[in-house]
């Protein structure tokens, strides 16, 4: 029972620390800091079409395309849960079946990860201006049979994103729009490895969360983005191309946090529409100059969205080569949706893949 006992102790200590630590930030890939969940269901494609506050993070040049002067004003919150973990709990296999031995529990511990998170945004968007305050935190806990010292360990990783973004956009021609975003961010991305045999370290983490907090530097940074959209509109067919320069001149932070390098991104979209429904197909390619030195599969996003009478949305796609799908119901002031997707936290397909589901709700108009 040794592994089970101390795994729980370290898990509780880490969660207690995260609850007390406040805003945390970090970024080690070309992924957006925040992607609206319905857009995430469409493979994370956002440069030629984005939902609600997702426009501010994706491509501010999309602002002038809205039919109404106020595009969105409201609050959205979501909860992220590891699908594999949820399935294990539902099947009663989490922690081993009744009567199973110690070896069964250990196999379970080191074969499954724990990935949890939350997102929240408060935003106002009209056809020329937008402001959004946001927060995103994801926690990843995974066992490692042979850690740095050759002994079993538990690895804790945090990705947290938050801050405020403001955007301004113009549409000087029917076929062209231009947008600019200024942003103030907080950033840190801790990774902590704790050997299960290091009882003194576990005791320290369990009794004194300040020891954990000392390993996290609170960093602030200010940056900007520039977005463009070229649009050809027909009676039933629209073609679009979105371009974006993200983190112009690099976004630099206080403390030891590495800068977010300047990246170039391009997207292409095709929309088939009738009077009350639209099908949007899109392809995005992020970080064209490979500033983050990622494999191609992590930079290609492909998706499709179908909206029926602006009330029911269905989306699917590929995000980092992993299938995505989602539904959204829009009841005017209240929206409810669910998105299933995956992320590769490692460097190659299947390295540290996490399969998640996000359940979210919005209040606003």
């Amino acid at each position: 029972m040794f592994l089970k006992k101390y795994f729980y102790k370290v898990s509780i200590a880490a969660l207690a620390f995260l609850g007390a630590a406040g805003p945390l930030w970090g970024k080690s890939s070309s992924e957006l800091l925040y992607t609206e969940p319905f857009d995430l269901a469409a493979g994370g494609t956002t440069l030629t079409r984005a939902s609600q506050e997702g426009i501010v993070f994706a491509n501010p040049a999309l602002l002038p395309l809205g039919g109404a002067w106020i595009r969105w004003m409201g609050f959205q919150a979501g909860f992220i849960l590891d699908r594999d973990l949820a399935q294990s709990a539902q099947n009663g296999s989490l922690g081993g079946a009744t009567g199973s031995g110690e070896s069964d529990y250990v196999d379970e511990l080191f074969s499954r990860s724990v990935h949890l998170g939350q997102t929240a945004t408060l935003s106002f968007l009209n056809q020329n201006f937008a402001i959004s305050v946001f927060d995103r935190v994801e926690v990843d806990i995974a066992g490692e049979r042979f850690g740095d010292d050759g002994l079993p360990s538990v690895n804790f990783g945090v990705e947290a994103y938050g801050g405020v973004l403001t955007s301004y956009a113009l549409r000087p021609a029917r076929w062209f729009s231009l947008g600019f975003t200024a942003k103030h961010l907080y950033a840190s991305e801790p990774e902590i490895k704790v050997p299960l045999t290091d009882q003194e370290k576990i005791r320290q983490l369990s009794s004194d969360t300040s020891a954990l907090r000392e390993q996290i530097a609170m960093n602030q940074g200010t940056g900007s983005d520039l977005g463009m959209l070229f649009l050809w509109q027909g009676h039933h067919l629209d073609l679009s191309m979105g371009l974006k320069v993200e983190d112009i001149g690099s976004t630099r932070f206080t403390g030891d946090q590495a800068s977010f390098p300047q990246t170039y991104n391009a997207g292409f979209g095709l929309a088939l529409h009738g009077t009350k429904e639209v099908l949007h197909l899109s392809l995005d390619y992020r970080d064209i100059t490979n500033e983050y030195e990622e494999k191609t599969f992590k930079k290609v996003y492909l998706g499709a969205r179908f909206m029926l009478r602006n009330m029911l949305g269905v989306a699917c796609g590929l995000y980092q080569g992993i299938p995505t799908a989602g539904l959204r119901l829009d009841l005017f002031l209240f929206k409810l949706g669910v998105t299933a997707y995956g992320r590769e936290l490692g460097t190659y397909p299947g390295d540290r893949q996490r399969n998640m589901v996000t359940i979210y709700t919005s209040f606003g108009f």
Side-chain angles (χ1 to χ4, degrees), residues 17-193:
F17 154 69
L18 292 172
L24 306 172
W25 284 86
K27 191 170 188 285
S28 59
S29 80
S30 61
E31 295 176 278
L32 288 175
L33 297 179
Y34 171 83
T35 303
E36 201 278 336
F38 187 64
D39 296 336
L40 194 57
T45 52
T46 57
L47 287 169
T48 57
R49 200 278 189 192
S51 305
Q52 298 176 183
E53 73 282 351
I55 292 173
V56 184
F57 304 85
N59 185 354
L62 294 168
L63 282 173
L65 303 185
W69 186 75
I70 296 181
R71 299 209 55 171
W72 168 248
M73 181 170 63
F75 171 78
Q76 179 162 283
F79 180 71
I80 303 167
L81 178 65
D82 191 309
R83 299 204 315 261
D84 298 333
L85 179 67
Q87 184 177 9
S88 296
Q90 184 178 10
N91 295 337
S93 62
L94 189 62
T98 303
S100 62
E102 179 77 10
S103 61
D104 293 333
Y105 177 80
V106 173
D107 288 340
E108 188 76 21
L109 170 64
F110 290 105
S111 63
R112 297 186 186 277
S113 62
V114 177
H115 196 101
L116 302 170
Q118 63 83 30
T119 62
T121 61
L122 179 63
S123 309
F124 170 81
L125 289 75
N126 66 25
Q127 289 187 333
N128 299 107
F129 173 79
I131 182 169
S132 180
V133 179
F134 77 105
D135 172 68
R136 170 187 156 215
V137 177
E138 294 189 36
V139 182
D140 189 79
I141 307 174
E144 187 174 5
R145 292 185 181 274
F146 304 100
D148 295 337
D149 56 2
L151 297 173
S153 66
V154 180
N155 303 332
F156 298 91
V158 177
E159 290 179 300
Y161 304 90
V164 58
L165 287 81
T166 57
S167 298
Y168 182 76
L170 291 172
R171 193 178 185 182
R174 179 177 174 81
W175 53 269
F176 175 72
S177 59
L178 179 70
F180 178 82
T181 296
K183 53 192 180 183
H184 185 75
L185 309 173
Y186 297 87
S188 177
E189 191 173 47
E191 287 202 18
I192 302 171
K193 293 188 177 183

Side-chain angles (χ1 to χ4, degrees), residues 4 10 29 32 61 86 116 212 223 247 282-283 295 309 334 338 342:
K4 183 175 182 179
V10 178
S29 80
L32 288 175
L116 302 170
L212 276 168
D247 296 302
S282 49
L283 169 68
K295 305 285 186 185
R309 297 179 181 272
F334 173 74
V338 59

Side-chain angles (χ1 to χ4, degrees), residues 69-361:
W69 186 75
I70 296 181
R71 299 209 55 171
W72 168 248
M73 181 170 63
F75 171 78
Q76 179 162 283
F79 180 71
I80 303 167
L81 178 65
D82 191 309
R83 299 204 315 261
D84 298 333
L85 179 67
Q87 184 177 9
S88 296
Q90 184 178 10
N91 295 337
S93 62
L94 189 62
T98 303
S100 62
E102 179 77 10
S103 61
D104 293 333
Y105 177 80
V106 173
D107 288 340
E108 188 76 21
L109 170 64
F110 290 105
S111 63
R112 297 186 186 277
S113 62
V114 177
H115 196 101
L116 302 170
Q118 63 83 30
T119 62
T121 61
L122 179 63
S123 309
F124 170 81
L125 289 75
N126 66 25
Q127 289 187 333
N128 299 107
F129 173 79
I131 182 169
S132 180
V133 179
F134 77 105
D135 172 68
R136 170 187 156 215
V137 177
E138 294 189 36
V139 182
D140 189 79
I141 307 174
E144 187 174 5
R145 292 185 181 274
F146 304 100
D148 295 337
D149 56 2
L151 297 173
S153 66
V154 180
N155 303 332
F156 298 91
V158 177
E159 290 179 300
Y161 304 90
V164 58
L165 287 81
T166 57
S167 298
Y168 182 76
L170 291 172
R171 193 178 185 182
R174 179 177 174 81
W175 53 269
F176 175 72
S177 59
L178 179 70
F180 178 82
T181 296
K183 53 192 180 183
H184 185 75
L185 309 173
Y186 297 87
S188 177
E189 191 173 47
E191 287 202 18
I192 302 171
K193 293 188 177 183
V194 182
L196 292 180
T197 54
D198 189 345
Q199 299 185 41
E200 177 60 27
K201 181 68 172 178
I202 294 172
R203 184 200 63 77
Q204 181 185 21
L205 296 180
S206 301
S207 61
D208 184 10
T209 58
S210 63
L212 276 168
R213 297 185 66 175
E214 288 176 358
Q215 302 183 44
I216 311 302
M218 298 298 294
N219 308 290
Q220 300 184 50
T222 301
S224 58
D225 305 327
L226 178 67
M228 291 172 282
L229 185 74
F230 299 86
L231 177 65
W232 179 84
Q233 293 179 298
H235 189 63
H236 294 292
L237 174 67
D238 298 344
L239 298 174
S240 56
M241 179 177 69
L243 302 174
K244 183 184 180 185
V245 183
E246 196 161 338
D247 296 302
I248 298 172
S250 296
T251 298
R252 295 174 175 82
F253 292 87
T254 59
D256 297 329
Q257 172 68 35
S259 300
F260 295 174
Q262 178 174 304
T263 58
Y264 301 89
N265 312 283
F268 302 89
L270 182 152
L272 302 170
H273 52 86
T275 55
K276 296 183 178 180
E277 61 282 325
V278 59
L279 172 65
H280 187 271
L281 308 176
S282 49
L283 169 68
D284 288 1
Y285 189 89
R286 297 189 58 81
D287 193 9
I288 294 172
T289 56
N290 200 28
E291 298 298 324
Y292 284 97
E293 299 182 350
E294 293 180 299
K295 305 285 186 185
T296 301
F297 80 95
K298 298 191 76 170
K299 301 190 293 182
V300 177
Y301 302 81
L302 181 67
R305 304 170 180 82
F306 177 72
M307 293 297 301
L308 178 63
R309 297 179 181 272
N310 289 324
M311 293 181 59
L312 177 64
V314 181
C316 62
L318 286 175
Y319 187 87
Q320 300 183 349
I322 304 170
T324 63
L327 293 171
R328 188 178 78 180
L329 181 64
D330 188 346
L331 300 176
F332 186 56
L333 294 178
F334 173 74
K335 298 178 178 65
L336 180 66
V338 59
T339 292
Y341 67 106
R343 290 182 60 208
E344 177 52 70
L345 303 183
T347 58
Y348 56 87
D351 182 10
R352 294 171 55 200
Q353 181 175 324
R354 302 293 187 257
N355 299 313
M356 283 96 74
V357 60
T358 294
I359 301 172
Y360 61 97
T361 184

